[in-house]
């Protein structure tokens, strides 16, 4: 093998990772040293992504966009697998009524965002922009609700179905969502603080997050390092689950292609685009299998380390955000300026109003903590939700932070029917009309679940 710089296949991934790493470090310095950036609460990865986008668009630096797309796609799956493999803490709210209602709230917000986006795209397509891809409004919940990873995947799927520039459109909405979470969230934090509604804490001196033995090491867990390092075990588990995800997805799509090529052409893009859901399900099965093996003494030690798995997922999501934002092609947005602006603005407004109303009813004991955490996550990612939450609850004393995690787990279950809508909406005007109807019906069902299930028990408790 040739080891010199002439072998681009050998050195290109290292160069690309190195550039991303340098920009993350630079963004972290800027966020720490420049007060006006720090006050926006913009995550370091988002700032690094915008820096790379500016550098790439101005021609100062050449980036491999194919590599950035690949990194965005795989990092999403790896991050969710790492999160799912973690061992739930004893006594933590890993489920329950509030967890399931948080999941229903998350998915209902997706549906509200989908309705908003589709109303905009369909109205424009039937009036002043007849060439607009009518189903493009579905990208709003993918971008705001689920972040750059899904915006990238579904945008690419829509490109294959005829939406030119769909991937960049979705990623641009995701970038706008981060700005909405940071800027709008901070503005209302300050407004509520001046009115005395909340106490806005200064988190300039951030919590150190010191790691204790209890944080890092569970009972009967494998040692930090013996014949193999503990981190290597975590990486091996994630890689094995991701390989199983690939094999299962390939097997399903190949089987469908043999049985019904028409169905396969519709479902295959969905399965590959939402591979992180299959990965999460396999990781959940592996986690439960390991627990069963320990119970029957087939396995003596716990192999997963939740702290390291959380760090790996954080790494994957940070790189996903940087690569996703940096890979936006501004030129692809020339024909989408009006729908982009309308969706970005109205998406943020509708999400704000809907969550403000709902969080008061679902989280009556901590409505503002619940609202800011959910608003940050459902316009950005879970990290932006935690950043906003820490402004009003710096020590995370309320259950709001845990609701983000448990709600996301239930959200995968509640969100499964939504996956079909992504492909359904792009299959013609009749299918688009059916999609509208399904969204409305499913939204009503989720709202009934949120407001009616457990309401009698809550009333008795209050008495």
């Amino acid at each position: 093998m040739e080891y010199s710089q002439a072998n681009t296949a050998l050195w290109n991934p290292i160069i690309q990772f190195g550039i991303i790493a340098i920009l993350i470090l630079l963004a972290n310095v800027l966020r720490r040293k420049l007060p006006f950036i720090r006050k926006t609460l913009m995550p370091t990865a988002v700032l690094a992504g915008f820096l790379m986008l500016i550098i790439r668009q101005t021609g100062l630096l050449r980036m491999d966009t194919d590599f950035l797309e690949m990194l965005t796609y795989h990092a999403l799956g790896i991050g969710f697998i790492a999160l799912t493999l973690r061992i739930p803490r004893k006594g933590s709210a890993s489920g329950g009524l509030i967890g399931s209602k948080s999941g229903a709230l998350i998915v209902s917000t997706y549906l509200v965002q989908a309705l908003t986006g589709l109303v905009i795209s369909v109205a424009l397509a039937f009036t002043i922009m007849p060439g607009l891809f009518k189903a493009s409004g579905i990208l709003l919940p993918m971008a705001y609700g689920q972040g750059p990873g899904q915006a990238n995947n579904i945008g690419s799927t829509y490109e294959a179905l005829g939406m030119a520039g769909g991937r960049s459109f979705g990623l641009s909405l995701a970038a706008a969502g981060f700005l909405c979470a940071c800027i709008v969230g901070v503005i209302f934090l300050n407004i509520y603080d001046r009115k005395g509604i909340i106490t806005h804490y200064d988190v300039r001196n951030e919590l150190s997050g010191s790691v204790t033995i209890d944080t890092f090491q569970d009972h009967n867990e494998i040692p930090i390092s013996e014949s193999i390092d503990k981190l290597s075990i975590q990486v091996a588990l994630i890689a094995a689950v991701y390989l199983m995800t690939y094999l299962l997805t390939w097997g399903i799509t190949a089987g469908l292609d043999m049985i019904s090529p028409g169905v396969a052409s519709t479902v295959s893009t969905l399965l590959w685009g939402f591979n992180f859901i299959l990965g999460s399900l396999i990781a959940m099965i592996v986690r439960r299998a390991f627990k069963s093996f320990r119970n029957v003494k087939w396995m003596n030690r716990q192999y997963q380390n939740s702290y390291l798995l959380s760090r790996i997922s954080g790494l994957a999501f940070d790189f996903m955000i940087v690569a996703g934002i940096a890979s936006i092609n501004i030129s692809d947005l020339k024909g989408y300026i009006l729908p982009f602006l309308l969706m970005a603005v109205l998406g943020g407004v509708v999400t704000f109003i809907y969550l403000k109303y709902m969080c008061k009813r679902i989280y009556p004991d901590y409505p503002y903590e619940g609202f800011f955490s959910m608003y940050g996550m459902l316009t950005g990612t879970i990290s932006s939700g935690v950043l906003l939450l820490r402004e009003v609850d710096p020590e995370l004393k309320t259950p709001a932070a845990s609701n983000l995690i448990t709600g996301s787990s239930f959200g995968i279950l509640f969100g499964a029917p939504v996956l079909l809508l992504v492909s359904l909406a792009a299959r013609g005007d009749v299918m688009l009309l059916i999609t509208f109807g399904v969204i409305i019906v499913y939204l009503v069902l989720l709202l009934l679940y949120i407001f009616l299930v457990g309401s009698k028990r809550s009333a008795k408790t209050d008495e």
Side-chain angles (χ1 to χ4, degrees):
M1 177 183 285
E2 173 61 49
Y3 295 112
S4 72
Q5 78 283 356
N7 190 344
T8 55
L10 175 66
W11 285 106
N12 184 60
I14 303 300
I15 294 170
Q16 302 298 317
F17 273 120
I19 294 171
I20 293 173
I22 290 171
L23 286 173
I24 287 176
L25 293 172
L26 175 60
N28 188 59
V29 171
L30 293 175
R31 189 178 184 277
R32 298 287 299 177
K33 300 299 182 182
L34 299 180
F36 74 92
I37 292 179
R38 185 172 61 246
K39 288 178 181 178
T40 65
L41 301 184
M42 182 180 294
T44 298
V46 176
L47 179 58
F50 280 119
L51 288 175
M52 184 177 288
L53 176 63
I54 292 169
I55 291 172
R56 190 174 72 83
Q57 292 295 327
T58 53
L60 296 175
L61 191 66
R62 287 189 62 187
M63 293 296 298
D64 186 344
T65 53
D66 290 338
F67 176 83
L68 294 176
E69 291 178 29
M70 179 186 70
L71 180 58
T72 305
Y73 176 77
H74 288 308
L76 179 67
I78 290 169
F80 270 94
I81 289 170
L83 282 178
T84 310
L85 282 172
R86 296 181 308 172
I87 304 294
R89 286 188 179 182
K90 292 180 180 179
S92 65
S94 57
L97 191 58
I98 289 298
S100 64
K101 286 194 174 187
S102 296
L105 173 63
I106 289 169
V107 176
S108 69
T109 307
Y110 295 164
L111 297 175
V112 170
Q113 291 171 339
L115 282 175
T116 303
L118 284 174
V119 166
I120 292 170
S121 60
V122 170
L124 290 175
F126 280 109
T127 54
I128 59 176
M129 297 183 68
L132 182 65
F133 193 74
K134 296 185 183 72
S136 59
I138 286 283
L139 287 171
L140 180 58
M142 298 297 110
Y144 272 40
Q146 298 199 354
Q150 277 307 94
N152 175 77
N153 294 354
I154 303 307
S156 298
T157 299
Y158 276 10
E159 278 192 2
L161 294 174
M163 182 183 178
R167 184 181 161 278
S168 290
F169 182 72
L171 286 170
S172 298
L173 279 175
F178 279 115
L179 293 177
C180 192
C182 299
I183 297 173
V184 175
V186 171
I187 288 173
F188 278 91
L189 277 169
N190 288 310
I191 290 173
Y192 291 155
D193 184 33
R194 291 193 194 99
K195 291 182 177 180
I197 298 174
I198 62 171
T199 301
H200 179 190
Y201 295 91
D202 185 359
V203 295
R204 200 174 308 169
N205 298 317
E206 296 181 0
L207 301 175
S208 64
S210 300
V211 180
T212 64
I213 292 296
D214 291 336
T215 305
F216 184 81
Q217 185 87 4
D218 287 340
H219 174 68
N220 205 33
E221 194 176 312
I222 59 173
I224 293 176
S225 180
E226 45 178 23
S227 61
I228 186 170
D229 192 87
K230 181 179 287 191
L231 178 61
S232 301
I233 291 290
Q234 313 310 308
V235 174
L237 286 171
I238 294 168
V241 171
Y242 202 34
L243 176 60
M244 286 189 278
T245 303
Y246 167 78
L247 293 174
L248 178 61
T249 308
W250 174 76
I252 293 173
T253 53
L256 285 174
D257 192 49
M258 292 174 59
I259 298 170
S260 175
V263 174
S265 64
T266 301
V267 176
S268 294
T269 53
L270 281 178
L271 288 174
W272 289 111
F274 286 93
N275 73 322
F276 76 96
I277 291 182
L278 278 179
S280 296
L281 292 174
I282 294 173
M284 193 179 299
I285 294 170
V286 169
R287 190 186 73 204
R288 292 183 180 274
F290 280 13
K291 183 179 180 180
S292 299
F293 293 160
R294 290 194 300 273
N295 290 338
V296 298
K297 306 302 180 183
W298 290 356
M299 184 183 290
N300 297 321
R301 297 288 186 91
Q302 176 182 304
Y303 283 85
Q304 305 104 294
N305 180 274
S306 296
Y307 179 81
L308 291 177
L309 288 169
S310 295
R311 302 286 67 75
I312 293 171
S313 68
L315 171 69
F317 289 144
D318 282 340
F319 272 81
M320 177 196 74
I321 291 168
V322 176
I325 294 175
S327 62
I328 297 171
N329 288 318
I330 303 298
S331 59
D332 289 344
L333 297 177
K334 288 181 180 177
Y336 295 107
I337 298 299
L338 181 58
F340 168 75
L341 291 175
L342 288 174
M343 289 185 200
V345 174
L346 291 179
V349 171
V350 169
T351 302
F352 185 95
I353 294 171
Y354 179 73
L355 287 175
K356 192 169 184 294
Y357 174 82
M358 295 295 292
C359 288
K360 283 184 179 180
R361 282 144 187 84
I362 299 176
Y363 314 118
D365 296 329
Y366 47 97
Y368 291 100
E369 291 86 350
F371 165 71
F372 280 110
S373 59
M374 283 292 175
Y375 182 74
M377 183 176 76
L378 289 167
T379 50
T381 61
I382 195 168
S383 64
S384 50
V386 172
L387 280 170
L388 287 178
L389 172 62
R390 285 184 56 191
E391 289 288 311
V392 293
D393 183 14
E395 296 181 11
L396 304 181
K397 292 180 179 179
T398 67
S402 108
N403 290 342
L404 296 179
I405 298 171
T406 56
S408 296
S409 300
F410 279 101
I412 293 176
L413 177 65
F414 285 121
V418 179
L419 308 186
L420 299 175
L421 302 178
V422 174
S423 179
L424 195 66
R427 301 290 171 175
D429 291 351
V430 174
M431 290 293 123
L432 187 61
L433 184 61
I434 293 174
T435 301
F436 266 109
V438 173
I439 289 175
I440 293 170
V441 170
Y442 193 37
L443 177 59
V444 170
L445 292 175
L446 288 174
L447 291 175
L448 288 174
Y449 175 78
I450 291 171
F451 289 121
L452 297 183
V453 173
S455 58
K456 292 182 180 179
R457 185 171 62 184
S458 300
K460 290 180 180 179
T461 304
D462 293 338
E463 292 174 3

